[in-house]
Amino acid sequence: MNHRTTTPAAAAPFDVAHVPPADRLTTAVRTDRMRHPGFGRVLTEHMVTIRWTEDAGWHEARLRPYQALEFDPATVGIHYGQIVFEGLKAYSLADGRVGIFRPDAAARRLQRSATRLAMPEMPTALFTSAVTELVRADRAWVPAEVGKSLYLRPVLMATEADLDLRPAREYLFLLIAFVTDNFFPGELRPRTVWVCEDHVRAAPGGTGEAKTPGNYAASLLAQEQARERGCDQVVWLDAVERRWVEEMGGMNLFFAVGPEEAPRLLTPPLRGTILPRVTRDSLITIASDLGWSTSEEPISVEQWRRWADGGSLREVFACGTAAVVTPVGTVRSAAGDWTVNGGRAGPLAARLRTALLDVQHGLVPDRHGWMVPVG
Ligand SMILES: Cc1ncc(COP(=O)(O)O)c(C=O)c1O
């Protein structure tokens, strides 16, 4: 069988090994941990594991207590980085239920990333039942406040212990969850960004549109250099001309021009080097619902600066599952610095952020069927 072939979802339901009630954290301890969760530190009490082998396909779907895992030191994923991952969130809904935001879209992206790294695709139904089972088990960890949420981190990694350089024949799907307020505390504080010309995140034909750890590892040095210059994030440029704006660390970028009552939103096109993401896609839809025009077109750094200096640029903001919507106030580059909207947060980013959070928390009708309630 071709290792890339999609195999049917495990027919058997999840094997559930709950944390015994006596071992569960008390409400007081959980509430305390959830107070200032940061990003990725306050993990919940369960996890999901599912195995894939050439012979059995997807099998051994287990919901189990959160625990350390053991790997053979010759595991392919550790040596050659044959790993892909995702990020999505569950929110408390206004009616008291919990909803997961667009799990089908996350499943499709995990499939696309897996295909790029010659890994098996996990069927959407199996992915969705994994996230649903975990959220149900860790329901008590979904924060009630708007702006806080439960971040779900699915990972698919090659687990075969055989260091011949070829696609592995065994994989492990892992799903963990953590409580998060937002990636950036004080979300609407405008960020300062560094336009990076020395390093690139992705090149045509590479793995830029796959969510694979190597892309993130390769970005860390530039991120540190940005910090040394007093910047919060790196803006990546295209690898060929080092001129066209692509995206930020874990976020896609939008540029708003035109009148405030009828703005035009521009975002760089997806041409294989940008991660095609859910928040970007959702904001394009919400902006159209608001009657704003949107277009995907290349934006150069020179144009960004000209627009900003000439006053035609209203706002720039970044978006992503973790960051939601975050304004960019100051841009630093080798050619000099400039500000956007006088370095202040603007009303358009705030409006989109509220519109998105309102859907995610069930405060307005879910016109596009994005929320999957967990019973
Ligand atoms: C490189 C990169 N770009 C953009 C995004 C935003 O994507 P999403 O809106 O799906 O979170 C992410 C987050 O996963 C990312 O890692």
Side-chain angles (χ1 to χ4, degrees):
M1 187 203 308
N2 182 332
H3 64 273
R4 272 169 270 190
T5 309
T6 300
T7 47
F14 272 77
D15 187 357
V16 178
H18 271 300
V19 180
D23 293 344
R24 304 262 340 224
L25 294 176
T26 63
T27 305
V29 171
R30 197 173 50 243
T31 307
D32 189 49
R33 287 201 188 168
M34 287 168 73
R35 201 155 291 150
H36 301 292
F39 187 81
R41 287 197 298 269
V42 179
L43 290 139
T44 63
E45 287 162 280
H46 293 89
M47 62 196 267
V48 167
T49 55
I50 310 176
R51 298 203 166 272
W52 186 94
T53 55
E54 274 190 347
D55 295 341
W58 296 101
H59 64 286
E60 269 184 50
R62 300 228 159 104
L63 172 76
R64 55 213 290 194
Y66 186 91
Q67 61 198 261
L69 298 171
E70 260 189 19
F71 293 105
D72 188 296
T75 297
V76 171
I78 297 172
H79 290 260
Y80 302 138
Q82 203 192 4
I83 304 177
V84 294
F85 65 106
E86 262 308 320
L88 68 164
K89 283 180 171 175
Y91 301 82
S92 285
L93 301 176
D95 63 8
R97 291 182 303 168
V98 166
I100 305 170
F101 186 63
R102 304 189 69 180
D104 51 332
R108 282 196 298 276
R109 281 189 330 239
L110 190 70
Q111 289 157 3
R112 281 209 298 273
S113 297
T115 300
R116 178 63 185 82
L117 271 84
M119 301 167 85
E121 290 183 7
M122 170 173 274
T124 303
L126 182 59
F127 179 93
T128 306
S129 51
V131 293
T132 308
E133 287 291 342
L134 184 64
V135 172
R136 195 175 285 134
D138 284 331
R139 167 78 185 81
W141 290 90
V142 183
E145 304 97 304
V146 170
K148 283 192 180 176
S149 51
L150 189 70
Y151 186 100
L152 304 163
R153 170 53 61 80
V155 180
L156 178 62
M157 90 176 259
T159 43
E160 189 180 359
D162 177 341
L163 294 182
D164 199 6
L165 186 55
R166 52 153 179 74
R169 290 166 298 204
E170 285 171 27
Y171 296 87
L172 176 68
F173 171 83
L174 269 177
L175 175 67
I176 59 170
F178 55 84
V179 180
T180 173
D181 31 25
N182 278 311
F183 191 55
F184 293 123
E187 200 68 4
L188 281 179
R189 178 170 76 73
R191 305 289 142 177
T192 300
V193 298
W194 170 250
V195 179
C196 178
E197 290 175 28
D198 299 340
H199 307 282
V200 291
R201 179 188 167 275
T207 57
E209 64 180 354
K211 196 165 172 71
T212 185
N215 292 342
Y216 296 82
S219 74
L220 296 176
L221 182 60
Q223 181 63 38
E224 278 313 289
Q225 292 170 345
R227 268 193 229 294
E228 282 159 18
R229 293 178 167 99
C231 298
D232 303 294
Q233 279 285 326
V234 175
V235 173
W236 297 106
L237 301 180
D238 75 289
V240 180
E241 295 182 69
R242 308 273 169 112
R243 193 175 159 216
W244 304 101
V245 173
E246 299 224 307
E247 60 183 322
M248 296 216 308
M251 288 151 267
N252 294 114
L253 277 167
F254 279 93
F255 296 75
V257 295
E260 188 181 324
E261 52 301 343
R264 195 154 80 89
L265 290 190
L266 310 171
T267 190
L270 304 174
R271 289 192 294 207
T273 52
I274 296 181
L275 205 60
R277 305 304 296 169
V278 173
T279 317
R280 175 186 184 278
D281 178 71
S282 309
L283 291 186
I284 291 174
T285 304
I286 291 175
S288 308
D289 291 349
L290 291 168
W292 302 359
S293 73
T294 58
S295 82
E296 300 184 42
E297 51 188 82
I299 296 148
S300 69
V301 184
E302 308 90 79
Q303 187 176 24
W304 183 352
R305 186 168 191 169
R306 262 200 318 276
W307 274 345
D309 290 348
S312 52
L313 185 61
R314 284 202 163 270
E315 294 177 33
V316 175
F317 50 86
C319 69
T321 298
V324 192
V325 176
T326 299
V328 172
T330 305
V331 187
R332 298 204 170 131
S333 77
D337 302 350
W338 64 95
T339 57
V340 177
N341 191 33
R344 295 181 307 271
L348 302 175
R351 203 154 158 213
L352 283 179
R353 180 171 184 273
T354 304
L356 181 61
L357 286 173
D358 282 355
V359 175
Q360 291 170 331
H361 285 284
L363 295 164
V364 293
D366 178 13
R367 290 175 60 180
H368 303 284
W370 286 338
M371 301 308 295
V372 173
V374 175

